[in-house]
Amino acid sequence: MSFASETTEQVTFRRPFILPGLDEPHDPGTFEVHVRRELLDVSWTAHLLTRTIMLPRRGGLEALEVRSGDLEEALRVDQA
């Protein structure tokens, strides 16, 4: 049995930022981050966690999957 839940968070960058998967820095702003937690089928409680940040690009919207650590580091650098 697989159980998944999804939540949406907001993150705000005050300066241009770069994340793995981006070719160039992205403009600052507030962005939606979709967080999906999927219960793994193992003998202990474990979840697979994925984060997808939604970035406006060239008149559209790009979904970029990011690791939690990469997103947290980019936010830490932005706040410094």
Side-chain angles (χ1 to χ4, degrees), residues 57-69:
R57 297 283 243 181
R58 299 175 206 70
L61 196 61
E62 177 182 355
L64 177 67
E65 190 169 312
V66 295
R67 292 184 352 184
S68 295

Side-chain angles (χ1 to χ4, degrees), residues 13-49:
F13 286 94
R14 298 180 301 184
R15 294 181 275 254
F17 63 95
I18 190 82
L19 291 166
L22 292 177
D23 295 332
E24 56 191 39
H26 197 284
D27 292 335
T30 299
F31 306 94
E32 284 186 3
V33 177
H34 297 269
V35 180
R36 182 175 171 83
R37 290 174 180 83
E38 186 172 338
L39 186 61
L40 299 176
D41 189 16
V42 294
S43 60
W44 61 91
T45 302
H47 292 87
L48 174 65
L49 177 68

